Amino acid sequence: MDLNWRHFIIAETSDGIFIGCAQLKHHKDGSIELASLAVEDAFRSQGVARALIEQLLSQSPHPLYLMCRQELGIFYERFGFKVIGAESMPPYFRRMLKVLKIFVFLTRHEGPLIMRLDG
Ligand SMILES: CC(C)(COP(=O)(O)OP(=O)(O)OC[C@H]1O[C@@H](n2cnc3c(N)ncnc32)[C@H](O)[C@@H]1OP(=O)(O)O)[C@@H](O)C(=O)NCCC(=O)NCCS
């Protein structure tokens, strides 16, 4: 939703092949989200995601939020992100959580984690 290439950074090989991307999304409620993190299969577990995250953290104001699958919580904790409850979420994330609750109910998947990194 609301994708804008200007908000993305990409990782590429020395010969210009795309290997990963991530973005900072600015929501209408003023919150900023680390989003769209993805690395090509063949280049995973080599620190590409870490490099993308560190680059975005160096240019992002705080607090910074993200939404992720439960199993990635430990990965993001390494950067200082902490899981937050609904009472601490900006309106955008509370809305998203409500929408996703329907998906979670219908598919019996686990709900996502919402995490925050303070400055
Ligand atoms: C998650 C993802 C971006 C990680 O990219 P990466 O370049 O391999 O990450 P790094 O090399 O910097 O770090 C690797 C670490 O990420 C963590 N990690 C990656 N995928 C994971 C998963 N599915 N479950 C739990 N931990 C995971 C592990 O701690 C891993 O360490 P290891 O390589 O020693 O096992 C990549 O697997 C991906 O693109 N997945 C599909 C898209 C996605 O899930 N994006 C995240 C949206 S919140």
Side-chain angles (χ1 to χ4, degrees), residues 41-55:
D41 275 338
F43 293 93
R44 289 185 187 171
S45 291
Q46 298 174 42
V48 176
R50 167 169 285 278
L52 287 163
I53 292 169
E54 284 174 351
Q55 177 60 33

Side-chain angles (χ1 to χ4, degrees), residues 37-39 44-50 67-69 71-72 75-76 78:
L37 177 69
V39 174
R44 289 185 187 171
S45 291
Q46 298 174 42
V48 176
R50 167 169 285 278
M67 195 179 313
C68 69
R69 297 191 307 281
E71 73 262 25
L72 286 175
F75 174 63
Y76 289 113
R78 292 187 204 153

Side-chain angles (χ1 to χ4, degrees), residues 52-77:
L52 287 163
I53 292 169
E54 284 174 351
Q55 177 60 33
L56 288 179
L57 294 188
S58 75
Q59 66 192 57
S60 170
H62 294 85
L64 181 61
Y65 296 86
L66 64 79
M67 195 179 313
C68 69
R69 297 191 307 281
Q70 297 275 341
E71 73 262 25
L72 286 175
I74 291 173
F75 174 63
Y76 289 113
E77 277 173 6

Side-chain angles (χ1 to χ4, degrees), residues 16-27:
I17 296 167
F18 172 92
I19 55 176
C21 65
Q23 66 160 328
L24 290 178
K25 262 179 124 167
H26 294 249
H27 299 299

Side-chain angles (χ1 to χ4, degrees), residues 65 83-91 93-94 97 114 116:
Y65 296 86
V83 176
I84 55 169
E87 70 291 346
S88 312
M89 289 175 201
F93 291 91
R94 279 207 296 272
L97 216 54
I114 310 292
R116 184 180 68 211

